[in-house]
Amino acid sequence: MPHLTIDEWIKAIEHKAESVRGVAINEATDKDIYYAVSALVTEEMNKNWLQTQERYKEKQCKQVYYLSMEFLVGRLLESNLLNSGLLNECNEALKKLGFNPERVYAQEPDAGLGNGGLGRLAACFLESIASLRYAGHGCGIRYRYGLFEQRIIHGHQVELPDYWLKEEYPWETRKAEESVDIHFGGDIHMFKKNDGSLEFKYENTDKVTAVPYDVPIAGYQNKVVNSLRLWSAESNASDSEMLTSQCSQYYHHLDHKHSIEQISGFLYPDDSMYEGKVLRLKQQYFLVSASLKSIFRQYKKTVRRSLIHLPDKIVIQINDTHPSLAVPELMRILMDEERFGWEDAWQITTKVIAYTNHTTLSEALEKWPEDMVKSLLPRLYMIIQEINERFCKKVWNDHPLLREKIPELAIIADGQVHMARLAIVGSFSVNGVARLHTDILKKKEMKSFYTLFPERFNNKTNGITHRRWLLQVNPELSSLITDVIGPQWIQRPNQLISLLRYSKDSPFLDKVSAVKVHNKVKLAHFIHEKTGIMVDEHSIFDVQIKRLHEYKRQLLNIFHVIHLYNELKDNPKLDITPRTFLFGAKAAPSYHFAKEVIKLINRMASLINNDPAIHDKIKVVFLENYNVSLAEKIIPATDISEQISTASKEASGTGNMKMMMNGALTLGTLDGANIEIKDLVGDKNIFIFGLTADEVLHYYNHGGYVARDIYHTDERVRRILDQLKDGAFGSQEIEFKDIYYHTLYHNDPYFVLRDFDAYIEAHELVEQSYRDQATWMNMSVTNIAYSGKFSSDRTIQEYASEIWKLKRMEK
Ligand code: 26Q
């Protein structure tokens, strides 16, 4: 297969179109070809998949399981072709057959099984794990509905269900024979055995069958294929049971079946305000219990040694606290099913589980009402109580100085189970996702835990797979890079640093610039097709794409746009560099303020884009339904990457890395991984503004910031806020009083007004800099050159050597 010529490819595609779709090539649609090519690449991957699993069994090497409620994988056909080494030939063959490869790949629905950063990180990690030849797998949920589809109707966000599985999904294999049963609720009976030990029996539980669907994850041209195992909830009430039941029973059964299938029904949107919904707790336990049972089954089949050796063979990384029930569930299996005593079970558990934290926002920390945990998971509740009691006693006895902190350390406190505390106590590693974030965990948010367990805390700065986010999405830039430094960067992203030698080479810079313009032209066509808005490829493409949240401050961005608009209205002759402001953002359905900001952006877009007085100097575009495949179109065309969160709030950010790698310059605060970008490229090659994390934290602790003071002293700010209040941008149905009142009467909790002046100034520097294209392109290439550090290959190598203790498989 890897050595097929283009003509052989053409034959193979024709053949598959006939055999899997029953169509002759001259009748085939893009969809038919999508399925035909998917079948071809699946055949290739399946061989390697089997072989990889065989090798893992044979070598009995240690394996990592990445447990995550989210895997935001996006589309897979093009990346599977790329990693299987088939992409170029396939593209040629498709073109010869008269098909446009891009349109063929666009037939695939995005697998939107994640909210944003955390879910996409999990997908990038799986790619790097396979590419680096580590034995590692993902465990997640096969939601029937991914994150909602967003439409903008009259400027408002409207949510539609994302039924991504309506047609066959070619990458998954159902493994019914590897199903496991999951039990909820029920009664616990305790028996004392002759040897004095306790035995627990569960009765009257609700049983749910978890059926795995495996998706292959191919490494980059290395024949490694790992697995992403997605669990689906099914009722095991057979049809015959349904048939024999009486009519009333029949509806009872049907109702029951539906409520079970709900468990993998939909992905919960993240509104960063924690809310304890029982269905979400069911989902979490479902993921954890199914994954652990399947890990145990695998271990017993291959290792055949006492489970006391589990930590030598297995490590489980939990992606945030969402799968933190893994701690008590692992204890339960070891004690109740495998008959270990508490001490041994605890030793094993705390050597197997490692926890990654992704937020310090206290309002986003997971807590579950005790009663809910107790009734849904009675045995786990007993175990959590015991973990809590032993832990609190230990603090009391061994750490007298921390005694007064016990209320904020206790896993169960004020009627709630605190999941981050459970995860820290039950694991051997706790990591943050960027240097600043980890420092804040240690020094503030988790300070007392850090005092107790300093050796557990460590940093793993996030990364992104440069194979998808550079090689695949920006093939023209990639081939320019390969022309000058050779192709080694694809496997060793740090080698991008060799580009520094060309950062002043005008012929090279001209080519890089031409590629950027070409990518902007392509995006401009797309924007025109989707929105009817014409944008100029020579304007600065200034981009903010991420979930909508107050702390990410899309509001600050649109305030700057309004300010520019006001200036242009006052002085239509103002000489400014034309700019295109691009936004993409979903707001959680229940997040009122976030939706108001979307309304405001769309309102300003329609005012500005249609105002002849502006002479097309600025354009504002809100692209609806921001998702992975839209990101793939926008990122290669970005000039300015907006990373403007309130300092200390964004744990890392990963969009910042993707845009840097594609030659965008960052306009950002000293937050998350922006700081590490700045440390690499230097102050000259990034636009930094605003309060630092220390300053923000100081304001929180000591007061001193009064939003109204800025309203009264900065007339630009006052004008904008008054325009919002007085309906200057409104029509009958649209007004923005909420934003006005929220900002002034809640004292602007995210410091939008406080950072406004610094932000305007930074933008002025951006536009001045853009006028000098030679310098701009030098900055751009410098950013690309240093971006190798942000490959998830680097991140995964750090996880593997410092946390997981995994070795790469031999070639
Ligand atoms: C929780 C409870 C109920 C429903 C939903 C959730 C939920 C779901 C998803 C809570 C949070 C998330 C996702 C969080 C997330 O994406 N965090 C981001 O993680 C990135 C990867 O580490 C970081 O780069 C970002 O800074 C961080 O915001």
Side-chain angles (χ1 to χ4, degrees):
M1 187 71 181
H3 304 296
L4 290 193
T5 64
I6 292 175
D7 285 337
E8 287 166 330
W9 255 100
I10 291 177
K11 287 216 184 68
I13 295 172
E14 286 176 346
H15 181 255
K16 276 288 175 223
E18 282 174 23
S19 64
V20 302
R21 301 288 288 180
V23 291
I25 194 79
N26 50 350
E27 304 270 306
T29 60
D30 285 333
K31 178 68 68 47
D32 294 322
I33 299 302
Y34 160 68
Y35 279 109
V37 176
S38 301
L40 285 168
V41 68
T42 298
E43 274 173 22
E44 176 62 20
M45 287 197 302
N46 277 350
K47 278 184 274 177
N48 295 326
W49 202 2
L50 269 175
Q51 274 174 18
T52 304
Q53 306 313 312
E54 281 306 312
R55 274 192 79 190
Y56 293 164
K57 261 188 224 153
E58 187 189 310
K59 300 251 178 224
Q60 298 201 358
C61 49
K62 189 170 181 184
Q63 317 223 3
V64 60
Y65 292 90
Y66 197 82
L67 259 60
S68 177
M69 289 288 283
E70 312 198 352
F71 286 92
L72 189 43
V73 287
R75 292 183 180 139
L76 285 177
L77 178 51
E78 195 179 2
S79 62
N80 282 340
L81 284 163
L82 177 67
N83 280 16
S84 306
L86 305 172
L87 184 61
N88 292 338
E89 287 78 3
C90 177
N91 282 343
E92 289 313 309
L94 287 174
K95 283 186 223 155
K96 274 199 165 175
L97 282 166
F99 289 92
N100 173 344
E102 243 178 78
R103 282 221 296 271
V104 171
Y105 305 144
Q107 297 306 307
E108 179 167 348
D110 264 49
L113 308 185
N115 272 284
L118 166 149
R120 182 56 230 176
L121 185 76
C124 284
F125 279 6
L126 294 184
E127 199 276 343
S128 282
I129 289 172
S131 291
L132 293 170
R133 285 181 276 108
Y134 288 114
H137 311 279
C139 302
I141 293 179
R142 181 179 178 270
Y143 301 106
R144 267 195 313 290
Y145 293 88
L147 188 65
F148 65 87
E149 187 185 319
Q150 179 196 52
R151 294 273 172 81
I152 301 297
I153 297 178
H154 303 309
H156 295 246
Q157 166 174 303
V158 174
E159 300 94 23
L160 297 174
D162 166 49
Y163 189 45
W164 68 293
L165 287 169
K166 30 180 185 294
E167 291 171 286
E168 191 205 12
Y169 187 59
W171 310 115
E172 64 181 10
T173 311
R174 181 184 162 95
K175 296 268 174 73
E177 64 290 351
E178 295 184 46
S179 299
V180 294
D181 285 338
I182 312 298
H183 296 266
F184 291 96
D187 315 309
I188 312 283
H189 298 285
M190 192 165 75
F191 303 91
K192 203 166 198 154
K193 302 216 336 187
N194 289 343
D195 62 1
S197 67
L198 292 177
E199 186 168 314
F200 292 89
K201 287 233 164 75
Y202 321 141
E203 272 173 10
N204 305 321
T205 59
D206 285 327
K207 194 167 83 178
V208 175
T209 304
V211 183
Y213 286 71
D214 287 354
V215 177
I217 306 291
Y220 182 73
Q221 301 186 9
N222 64 0
K223 299 199 176 291
V224 171
V225 180
N226 290 335
S227 305
L228 167 58
R229 174 156 277 197
L230 298 175
W231 296 100
S232 177
E234 294 185 8
S235 149
N236 53 2
S238 64
D239 286 349
S240 58
E241 275 174 82
M242 297 282 275
L243 276 172
T244 51
S245 55
Q246 297 297 314
C247 189
S248 64
Q249 289 268 305
Y250 169 83
Y251 285 103
H252 176 77
H253 278 311
L254 204 57
D255 196 37
H256 188 64
K257 184 173 147 81
H258 285 164
S259 82
I260 284 172
E261 288 166 357
Q262 276 303 312
I263 295 176
S264 52
F266 71 94
L267 166 75
Y268 272 92
D270 163 34
D271 61 4
S272 303
M273 263 307 266
Y274 175 71
E275 212 189 324
K277 287 269 198 297
V278 69
L279 181 56
R280 168 88 181 172
L281 185 61
K282 281 189 193 169
Q283 292 185 330
Q284 295 185 350
Y285 182 65
F286 174 76
L287 166 69
V288 159
S289 183
S291 304
L292 287 178
K293 285 188 172 174
S294 129
I295 292 169
F296 269 84
R297 199 182 266 174
Q298 190 68 21
Y299 179 91
K300 289 182 175 175
K301 223 165 70 187
T302 55
V303 183
R304 297 162 194 244
R305 288 174 71 198
S306 157
L307 282 156
I308 202 91
H309 302 291
L310 197 69
D312 301 334
K313 296 290 171 194
I314 273 157
V315 53
I316 294 173
Q317 189 72 41
I318 58 173
N319 201 17
D320 215 292
T321 53
H322 317 153
S324 56
L325 290 172
V327 173
E329 176 67 0
L330 184 49
M331 288 295 285
R332 185 192 67 78
I333 298 176
L334 289 168
M335 295 189 302
D336 297 1
E337 292 177 11
E338 306 293 341
R339 314 295 313 145
F340 283 96
W342 182 277
E343 294 299 340
D344 283 343
W346 187 244
Q347 280 301 315
I348 298 173
T349 300
T350 52
K351 282 184 192 164
V352 163
I353 292 177
Y355 155 57
T356 305
N357 172 286
H358 297 265
T359 186
T360 50
L361 299 182
S362 49
E363 65 273 23
L365 291 180
E366 268 194 304
K367 302 177 272 288
W368 292 103
E370 258 188 286
D371 297 342
M372 198 190 278
V373 179
K374 191 172 179 177
S375 69
L376 188 70
L377 307 165
R379 179 61 182 135
L380 258 60
Y381 178 72
M382 294 170 69
I383 294 172
I384 296 170
Q385 272 188 319
E386 181 75 23
I387 296 174
N388 183 45
E389 251 163 57
R390 288 175 184 244
F391 168 65
C392 291
K393 269 191 196 139
K394 200 165 166 59
V395 176
W396 181 268
N397 292 331
D398 301 354
H399 302 272
L401 293 177
L402 284 176
R403 279 181 191 171
E404 60 175 34
K405 300 277 184 208
I406 289 180
E408 46 193 271
L409 289 167
I411 296 164
I412 304 178
D414 42 80
Q416 304 197 293
V417 182
H418 295 254
M419 304 313 270
R421 303 179 194 172
L422 175 63
I424 300 170
V425 174
S427 62
F428 69 92
S429 166
V430 177
N431 77 280
V433 290
R435 195 173 67 217
L436 172 73
H437 170 59
T438 303
D439 285 344
I440 293 175
L441 291 181
K442 289 190 199 170
K443 292 197 193 118
K444 279 197 41 93
E445 239 43 62
M446 300 181 167
K447 189 166 177 240
S448 305
F449 281 107
Y450 179 55
T451 313
L452 283 173
F453 311 119
E455 70 296 340
R456 287 188 197 179
F457 285 75
N458 64 95
N459 178 55
K460 296 287 167 282
T461 298
N462 281 167
I464 56 168
T465 165
H466 61 289
R467 284 170 291 269
R468 178 181 286 255
W469 293 108
L470 177 54
L471 186 58
Q472 180 188 322
V473 307
N474 203 341
E476 293 176 30
L477 177 59
S478 300
S479 72
L480 278 186
I481 294 172
T482 300
D483 286 347
V484 295
I485 66 168
Q488 297 83 356
W489 64 274
I490 299 168
Q491 263 139 335
R492 299 188 195 293
N494 268 331
Q495 295 208 3
L496 287 171
I497 200 69
S498 310
L499 283 174
L500 282 184
R501 269 184 266 140
Y502 300 86
S503 69
K504 293 212 161 96
D505 175 316
S506 334
F508 179 71
L509 296 186
D510 289 346
K511 286 186 214 153
V512 175
S513 168
V515 166
K516 181 65 83 181
V517 173
H518 186 221
N519 291 336
K520 287 162 77 174
V521 169
K522 283 200 285 189
L523 181 59
H525 282 303
F526 176 83
I527 291 172
H528 184 250
E529 188 187 307
K530 291 286 170 188
T531 66
I533 303 168
M534 304 272 263
V535 305
D536 172 6
E537 65 269 19
H538 297 294
S539 64
I540 302 176
F541 278 25
D542 181 313
V543 174
Q544 190 173 17
I545 42 175
K546 50 183 82 245
R547 285 298 289 272
L548 213 139
H549 195 289
E550 284 171 274
Y551 83 79
K552 296 181 188 280
R553 298 201 295 192
Q554 283 91 351
L555 188 62
L556 177 58
N557 188 339
I558 199 68
F559 274 14
H560 165 249
V561 174
I562 296 173
H563 166 67
L564 263 185
Y565 180 55
N566 285 337
E567 290 228 291
L568 279 169
K569 292 293 269 190
D570 291 349
N571 178 6
K573 295 217 171 74
L574 198 69
D575 174 30
I576 66 159
T577 313
R579 242 148 322 156
T580 299
F581 296 96
L582 276 169
F583 293 85
K586 287 180 181 174
S590 61
Y591 195 164
H592 172 74
F593 189 82
K595 289 183 153 180
E596 289 294 300
V597 176
I598 290 182
K599 244 169 70 184
L600 178 59
I601 296 170
N602 280 292
R603 181 69 194 153
M604 294 318 299
S606 78
L607 271 181
I608 293 172
N609 300 340
N610 298 306
D611 188 337
I614 298 305
H615 294 296
D616 295 339
K617 284 181 187 159
I618 53 179
K619 286 280 165 77
V620 181
V621 179
F622 188 101
L623 285 170
E624 67 185 2
N625 202 35
Y626 176 59
N627 60 10
V628 173
S629 39
L630 188 53
E632 291 172 357
K633 292 191 169 66
I634 299 172
I635 288 170
T638 298
D639 295 309
I640 281 289
S641 157
E642 298 263 2
Q643 307 299 337
I644 59 177
S645 52
T646 312
S648 79
K649 302 285 177 192
E650 189 70 270
S652 160
T654 44
N656 46 0
M657 303 169 183
K658 292 167 195 162
M659 291 194 248
M660 170 198 196
M661 201 173 262
N662 282 273
L665 305 185
T666 303
L667 168 53
T669 48
L670 286 173
D671 200 16
N674 298 350
I675 297 177
E676 289 162 75
I677 295 178
K678 188 211 75 161
D679 286 352
L680 284 172
V681 302
D683 297 317
K684 284 194 347 263
N685 296 305
I686 190 166
F687 302 99
I688 294 289
F689 73 96
L691 295 176
T692 62
D694 280 341
E695 288 166 338
V696 168
L697 298 172
H698 192 268
Y699 272 131
Y700 281 133
N701 293 332
H702 301 88
Y705 171 55
V706 182
R708 300 196 129 256
D709 290 350
I710 296 179
Y711 173 84
H712 288 301
T713 52
D714 189 330
E715 60 193 45
R716 302 163 303 179
V717 168
R718 187 164 62 248
R719 181 171 177 187
I720 296 168
L721 284 168
D722 288 347
Q723 285 170 320
L724 295 180
K725 180 178 57 115
D726 300 338
F729 308 130
S731 59
Q732 267 143 354
E733 320 90 85
I734 310 174
E735 51 156 35
F736 302 103
K737 289 197 171 57
D738 285 0
I739 296 180
Y740 172 88
Y741 286 108
H742 188 81
T743 306
L744 287 181
Y745 291 82
H746 288 103
N747 202 31
D748 184 20
Y750 296 95
F751 301 89
V752 172
L753 305 190
R754 178 67 179 77
D755 274 344
F756 179 81
D757 178 61
Y759 185 55
I760 302 297
E761 209 176 293
H763 263 297
E764 279 162 10
L765 187 56
V766 167
E767 87 133 15
Q768 291 305 318
S769 309
Y770 194 77
R771 290 169 189 236
D772 175 0
Q773 272 297 301
T775 310
W776 185 277
M777 289 315 299
N778 164 263
M779 294 168 75
S780 168
V781 168
T782 305
N783 271 267
I784 302 170
Y786 282 109
S787 69
K789 160 165 179 187
F790 300 108
S791 165
S792 43
D793 285 7
R794 187 267 311 148
T795 314
I796 286 301
Q797 257 150 357
E798 291 177 5
Y799 274 92
S801 70
E802 295 163 25
I803 303 178
W804 302 336
K805 312 287 178 199
L806 286 194
K807 287 205 209 47
R808 296 170 70 161
M809 294 290 293
E810 288 141 30
K811 280 200 184 139

